[in-house]
Amino acid sequence: MNQQLHNGETSPHPGLAASTARHYPRAWQRPEVDRILHRDEHLFHEGESLTRAYVVVSGILKSYVIDEDGREQIIGFHMAGDTIGFEAVAGCPAASSVQALNTTSVRRISEAGAGNRTESTNQAVLLGMYQEMLRLTRTLQMERRSLEQRLAVFLIDFGERQARAGCSRNEFLLPMGRKDLARHLGLAPETLSRVFSRFRNRGILNVDDNHVTVLDPGALRLVAGHWDSPSARHSGNMSG
Amino acid sequence: MNQQLHNGETSPHPGLAASTARHYPRAWQRPEVDRILHRDEHLFHEGESLTRAYVVVSGILKSYVIDEDGREQIIGFHMAGDTIGFEAVAGCPAASSVQALNTTSVRRISEAGAGNRTESTNQAVLLGMYQEMLRLTRTLQMERRSLEQRLAVFLIDFGERQARAGCSRNEFLLPMGRKDLARHLGLAPETLSRVFSRFRNRGILNVDDNHVTVLDPGALRLVAGHWDSPSARHSGNMSG
DNA sequence: CGAGTGTTTGAACCCTCTCAAAACCTGTGG
DNA sequence: CCACAGGTTTTGAGAGGGTTCAAACACTCG
């Protein structure tokens, strides 16, 4: 259930986001790019009818929905290797809007229409949607946890993804602004800032604007996994 | 919490029932029921490998996950017409545990294994997963709202489902206990009780144990759609 | 250099949780 | 039918976490 956290191993290259552009996953030698989006550009909007699904080649996007009072709810961030737009395969309208946070390249991976689908495509899509549902479920659980834990889990998870892309697990450039990150985590930007400061004061990490260095991964993991929140004190087995 | 709330599209898609009907084997007992669960009985557990998906014929179930500190997180309630266990078709382990809250009957609708799948089954499953993702997204949004709005939205949605089942929209019996409902809405049982009392004192509804009567649907809708929660006061344009 | 935006910090407020106890419902046995 | 024990729901009081408001900084862009 929890994400694997391999520790100790420091990445050979202390590469930051700048190097992200060069480090494509090996699986696609010379990745074919079908579209390049610039900062703030949308890949598609919520409700739009989709014809293709996409895989992110480089860069980062956010997916979000706007609720009835105009507030933006960030569902998730999508980085190299992530697939978005499963709705296309199901023939359904886009469930969320997807917007690039930086210059981002994507590749189309699927055609709409039942006749076009192979069994393996179907399997891949089902698997992708399944994982998306797991991710949403995890996000949902995060909502009920303390700020500190939410941020810690996010940072660890982000580090994992960085590591998978060949970059450092413990030193990276957050590609999104504080406001986006705060909204994703479901808290006020001021509060996010405060938690960052708290972590810095405790020596857990160093943060200079978007440049984050995790100094004490163990402590961070401790915050992520166990917390002294009031709810933990009393709860035993409450299955009803 | 079905396809009703978010985008008001009346589904142009056939839905699951059509593709399912032709598959269902004529069963030994009641034609349409393959399994009956009693109170607290599980349909399946998280992580279990599934072979079938199910549609709820009558009764109610909850799906939940247990997080690392042993607390139960209720993902959703499932009532007549809802489909659960899409994971089976994707060949993935169950993403959550599903347990009956009352006597509940379900029907199997799909066989596992790639060879067994027809195109229409695939389409139905994709659609179902898509709707499940929409539901999760909506649930996620609910988390960021005030207690009162959360409960109001839940009650309205529940009323809608009741109405669709031919019952009254404004008077119904909540099939789950306070604890389950509270956990689903992400709050303490005491707090839920308080919100119920507040609603009653304002004349919005009457609640006698599980018997809920909505006296002022307009007011309830007002609470659900617009709210005086702290977060709404200041937020204007926050895009980008 | 000034305007505008984004980040940090500080102080006060309020919502929700926890803890504690009373009221209620339910089933059991006298 | 009533008394009693168990769980569940309600109510009350206090504490804490997170938000809002407000202002100081930092950084980019014209």
Side-chain angles (χ1 to χ4, degrees):
Chain A
M1 211 48 183
N2 223 350
Q3 44 272 73
Q4 285 283 11
L5 306 175
H6 317 284
N7 194 16
E9 169 218 4
T10 34
S11 166
H13 3 257
L16 300 176
S19 65
T20 310
R22 295 178 40 228
H23 283 81
Y24 328 108
R26 292 280 198 274
W28 316 308
Q29 65 268 51
R30 193 68 176 94
E32 216 177 284
V33 170
D34 290 322
R35 181 160 173 201
I36 294 183
L37 298 102
H38 299 102
R39 190 180 212 276
D40 292 343
E41 199 178 343
H42 278 82
L43 184 56
F44 51 79
H45 288 86
E46 182 184 353
E48 198 176 311
S49 85
L50 294 181
T51 58
R52 305 288 179 89
Y54 302 87
V55 59
V56 181
V57 175
S58 70
I60 183 168
L61 309 104
K62 68 175 173 184
S63 61
Y64 67 93
V65 296
I66 303 288
D67 47 29
E68 58 259 26
D69 30 292
R71 283 153 53 98
E72 180 182 302
Q73 292 280 348
I74 296 186
I75 307 298
F77 296 111
H78 307 280
M79 299 157 61
D82 292 350
T83 306
I84 42 188
F86 294 113
E87 304 95 312
V89 187
C92 298
S96 60
S97 302
V98 172
Q99 183 183 26
L101 296 177
N102 279 327
T103 301
T104 297
S105 57
V106 299
R107 192 175 42 146
R108 288 190 266 264
I109 60 162
S110 177
E111 316 268 332
N116 250 336
R117 302 207 303 259
T118 65
E119 186 50 43
S120 63
T121 307
N122 270 327
Q123 192 56 38
V125 169
L126 285 173
L127 188 63
M129 286 187 102
Y130 174 73
Q131 285 167 350
E132 182 71 7
M133 277 175 49
L134 283 187
R135 199 183 61 77
L136 279 172
T137 302
R138 245 182 299 124
T139 306
L140 193 58
Q141 292 184 57
M142 279 297 99
E143 292 291 311
R144 313 231 164 132
R145 298 184 137 65
S146 77
L147 293 191
E148 299 206 351
Q149 197 187 22
R150 265 184 269 183
L151 180 57
V153 168
F154 174 83
L155 289 175
I156 290 170
D157 186 52
F158 192 87
E160 290 299 319
R161 296 170 91 170
Q162 287 292 113
R164 229 174 296 144
C167 302
S168 168
R169 178 192 315 275
N170 291 324
E171 183 175 5
F172 42 78
L173 236 42
L174 290 176
M176 71 292 287
R178 288 284 189 282
K179 231 153 69 174
D180 273 338
L181 181 51
R183 238 193 282 289
H184 174 54
L185 296 175
L187 43 85
E190 297 96 324
T191 315
L192 175 61
S193 184
R194 266 180 261 271
V195 179
F196 264 127
S197 301
R198 230 178 296 161
F199 281 177
R200 184 174 25 195
N201 293 339
R202 279 193 239 155
I204 294 178
L205 52 75
N206 228 322
V207 51
D208 172 43
D209 200 12
N210 283 339
H211 182 183
V212 174
T213 314
V214 178
L215 301 174
D216 189 345
L220 189 62
R221 217 164 324 118
L222 203 66
V223 175
H226 161 73
W227 72 107
D228 45 5
S229 119
S231 50
R233 252 180 270 150
H234 186 243
S235 81
N237 190 349
M238 315 239 244
S239 354
Chain B
M1 306 196 179
N2 229 349
Q3 56 269 41
Q4 177 82 10
L5 208 63
H6 199 55
N7 41 7
E9 52 154 352
T10 33
S11 174
H13 312 283
L16 286 164
S19 61
T20 304
R22 117 169 58 126
H23 270 249
Y24 97 63
R26 217 169 143 79
W28 14 284
Q29 292 182 340
R30 292 190 181 175
E32 73 277 14
V33 170
D34 289 325
R35 179 160 175 202
I36 294 182
L37 297 102
H38 300 101
R39 190 179 213 277
D40 293 341
E41 197 177 345
H42 278 82
L43 184 56
F44 50 80
H45 288 86
E46 181 184 351
E48 197 176 312
S49 83
L50 294 181
T51 58
R52 303 290 178 89
Y54 302 87
V55 59
V56 182
V57 175
S58 69
I60 183 168
L61 308 105
K62 69 176 173 184
S63 62
Y64 67 93
V65 296
I66 303 289
D67 48 28
E68 58 259 26
D69 29 293
R71 284 152 54 99
E72 179 181 302
Q73 293 279 347
I74 296 187
I75 307 297
F77 296 112
H78 307 280
M79 299 156 62
D82 292 350
T83 306
I84 43 190
F86 295 112
E87 304 94 311
V89 187
C92 299
S96 59
S97 302
V98 173
Q99 184 182 27
L101 297 177
N102 278 326
T103 301
T104 297
S105 57
V106 298
R107 192 177 42 159
R108 287 190 267 263
I109 59 162
S110 175
E111 317 267 334
N116 247 337
R117 301 209 300 259
T118 65
E119 186 49 42
S120 61
T121 307
N122 272 325
Q123 189 59 35
V125 169
L126 285 173
L127 184 64
M129 286 186 103
Y130 172 73
Q131 285 167 351
E132 181 71 6
M133 277 174 49
L134 283 186
R135 197 185 63 77
L136 279 172
T137 302
R138 247 180 297 123
T139 306
L140 193 58
Q141 292 184 57
M142 278 298 98
E143 292 292 310
R144 314 235 164 129
R145 299 182 140 65
S146 76
L147 293 190
E148 298 205 349
Q149 197 189 21
R150 265 185 268 183
L151 180 56
V153 168
F154 174 83
L155 289 175
I156 290 171
D157 185 52
F158 192 87
E160 292 296 323
R161 297 171 92 171
Q162 287 291 113
R164 226 174 302 144
C167 304
S168 167
R169 179 191 314 274
N170 292 323
E171 184 174 7
F172 42 80
L173 238 44
L174 289 177
M176 71 292 287
R178 287 283 187 280
K179 231 154 66 173
D180 273 337
L181 181 51
R183 237 192 283 287
H184 174 54
L185 296 175
L187 43 86
E190 299 96 325
T191 315
L192 175 60
S193 183
R194 265 179 261 272
V195 180
F196 265 127
S197 301
R198 231 179 295 161
F199 281 176
R200 184 173 27 195
N201 293 339
R202 279 192 239 155
I204 295 179
L205 51 74
N206 228 322
V207 50
D208 172 43
D209 200 10
N210 283 341
H211 184 184
V212 174
T213 313
V214 178
L215 301 174
D216 188 344
L220 190 61
R221 222 166 274 281
L222 203 66
V223 175
H226 159 74
W227 71 106
D228 45 7
S229 116
S231 47
R233 250 181 269 151
H234 185 244
S235 80
N237 49 347
M238 312 254 240
S239 313

